[in-house]
Amino acid sequence: MSDENGKSTATSASSSSSSDPAAATVKKRKYKVVIIGAGMAGLSSANHLIKHGCSDFAILEARPRVGGRIVGIDMGSQKVELGANWIHGVLGNPMFELAMQHGLISIINIPKPHKVVAATEDGKQVPFQVLQEIYEAYVCFLRRCEEYFLCQYLPPPDVHSVGEHINLEAELYLNNIDDYKEKHLRKLIFECLLKRETCITGCHSMDEIDLLELGSYTELQGGNIVLPSGYSSILKPLCDTLPKENIILSCPVKTIHWKRKGRVHSGNNNSDIILEEDEDDIDSDDSDKTVTEVPIGDTNDNSLKHYSSNVQIECENGTILEADHIICTIPLGVLKKHGPTMFSPSLPQYKLESIDSLLYGTVDKIFLEYDRPFLNAKISEIMFLWEHSDLEPNVDDEEYLKANWYKKIYSFSKVSDTLLLGWISGREAEYMESISHEVVAEKCTEILRRFLKDPFIPKPKRCVCTSWSKQPYSCGSYTAIAVGASQDDIDNIAQPLYSSPHQSKPSVLFAGEHTHSNFYSTVHGAYLSGRTAAQILLTPDSPQEIVMESDTSDLSSWIQGIALE
């Protein structure tokens, strides 16, 4: 479940230029495997293939860089991450093991002092014990939400979302407090924590998140680990093992043509391709393979007869590649926007429905850089307890967003003494992407001055905002399970496509954080899904019975006796 912790978060500018010389050198060529996308899932697939002796592959990447939603930039004297920020957990986390293997992290981890203050709009700071009291109650309510998935019992009637459940619990909790001011203050803290949760989960409101599925996300033990040189430093060891000529940048994919079993019908139109199922196919062990899910009307694809491979990839710059197999790591946001038209024949209906059912929200970051420090040296984060309007907010109304978008920023935290980081999610984040960084900087300065009750807080010398929703090759930040959706939808998207029921290896495989049913929204989920997809192609025969071999760099057993803060 993603998080302010940046699980698989946002990006800045990405070019769709097709003038890259690497792309220009490939006019038409056949590969054993084509990997679409050079994010973590794609790089993981490629590394697993090369490690096991398969170099007959190409990675097609739409951006002029690798990394996908992992990208860092320099701000002042340090590197900041516009996308993924933390390694989530230690034990069993391949990203932690990779970082350790390549010396990107020290096991000696001295936690920095972390003092959070919360303030109201009139500049009054909340007593720490009140903040702690409500935070502990909130965590308890959140854990109870997770138990519905783990324990398989039913919630109260008409409560379907995490937001509804936590608000119900908070209301019962606050009913025991008689003093109106004390009750109101605590209510504002609950609301602030729910805004924070939207950045963690990757949604606009926690009312969108399915209550019964919250516990489906598996949290690895060990807390959030920061790489001293930035998360993006993990890309280098992954790329160093790959032949440079195998990575084709600035090459967006236009159409994926994939073959399915069929015969030419000798009717009036010889190009009609009709699905043909042999009677023995229906009773075979492989009859559940996805080869006959596409409506017959969608099979009238004249381009299919022009190539002999299982898959043909048509790129926007005219490049055409053929492959026996493809591993598609296109993000869920792009599949939502282009999935129905990108594949020919189109994706099976069950896949399209699952793509539509899952949530793919926007979480953006706001970095403010200053010439000099102004926050008390002991304070690491300032939380904003916004007063709420009695009117129901209409987040689809442009005027409402223009007047209120900044109220979704729940805090600013210190990256360093002169660098602050704020988070914003949902429709408000999408609106922020439409305004200039100067306007954002002015509004953030106004917020800080108001809540800290200090009219002399300086304007930042630099403001950097991410724009994940606007980015054409991400179209958002990361996956969450919406009300009415389930883990089954993630499994449906991950299901490979076969060209024939007798085919031992699938033609089209899917990977990415949105295809891992327990680690969705995380980099390690993307990594593991990419590795699994590659392993399916490497395993002799029987892809249904996959046993993942463990990495030689597996540190899990060694690390078990080490406790990190």
Side-chain angles (χ1 to χ4, degrees), residues 250-305:
S250 299
C251 193
V253 169
K254 181 182 177 185
T255 311
I256 298 165
H257 303 274
W258 61 289
K259 273 191 170 179
R260 291 174 311 109
K261 182 178 178 187
R263 63 177 170 82
V264 176
H265 176 60
S266 57
N268 295 331
N269 187 347
N270 287 334
S271 67
D272 283 345
I273 296 173
I274 306 296
L275 293 180
E276 177 185 46
E277 286 183 82
D278 297 333
E279 287 185 15
D280 61 342
D281 289 345
I282 296 171
D283 297 322
S284 77
D285 291 337
D286 295 330
S287 60
D288 62 334
K289 289 180 180 178
T290 305
V291 291
T292 57
E293 301 275 359
V294 181
I296 290 172
D298 283 357
T299 65
N300 189 8
D301 182 353
N302 292 335
S303 66
L304 287 174
K305 61 187 178 182

Side-chain angles (χ1 to χ4, degrees), residues 243-254:
K244 288 185 172 52
E245 63 272 16
N246 289 35
I247 304 174
I248 304 166
L249 300 176
S250 299
C251 193
V253 169
K254 181 182 177 185

Side-chain angles (χ1 to χ4, degrees), residues 96-142:
F96 180 78
E97 291 167 4
L98 194 66
M100 284 292 294
Q101 182 188 354
H102 292 280
L104 298 176
I105 190 170
S106 168
I107 201 69
I108 302 166
N109 183 26
I110 303 167
K112 292 178 182 176
H114 190 58
K115 183 183 179 185
V116 181
V117 299
T120 57
E121 282 190 62
D122 57 5
K124 289 180 182 171
Q125 286 192 17
V126 176
F128 180 74
Q129 62 269 26
V130 175
L131 186 58
Q132 189 173 27
E133 169 206 328
I134 299 305
Y135 180 74
E136 287 174 359
Y138 172 82
V139 169
C140 177
F141 301 160
L142 195 64

Side-chain angles (χ1 to χ4, degrees), residues 139-192:
V139 169
C140 177
F141 301 160
L142 195 64
R143 292 289 171 260
R144 279 214 277 266
C145 290
E146 292 171 349
E147 286 173 8
Y148 288 111
F149 178 86
L150 302 170
C151 303
Q152 301 290 304
Y153 58 84
L154 293 174
D158 301 322
V159 176
H160 306 292
S161 73
V162 174
E164 289 168 335
H165 197 280
I166 288 180
N167 280 319
L168 178 64
E169 294 245 40
E171 193 177 331
L172 292 170
Y173 181 90
L174 294 171
N175 281 344
N176 295 319
I177 300 169
D178 294 326
D179 185 277
Y180 173 78
K181 284 186 177 179
E182 291 296 316
K183 180 187 288 191
H184 182 67
L185 181 63
R186 286 162 173 77
K187 185 176 182 181
L188 295 183
I189 298 171
F190 276 125
E191 288 173 356
C192 180

Side-chain angles (χ1 to χ4, degrees), residues 220-236:
L220 298 177
Q221 296 303 305
N224 294 321
I225 311 297
V226 178
L227 297 184
S229 48
Y231 207 140
S232 47
S233 63
I234 211 162
L235 298 173
K236 186 178 185 300

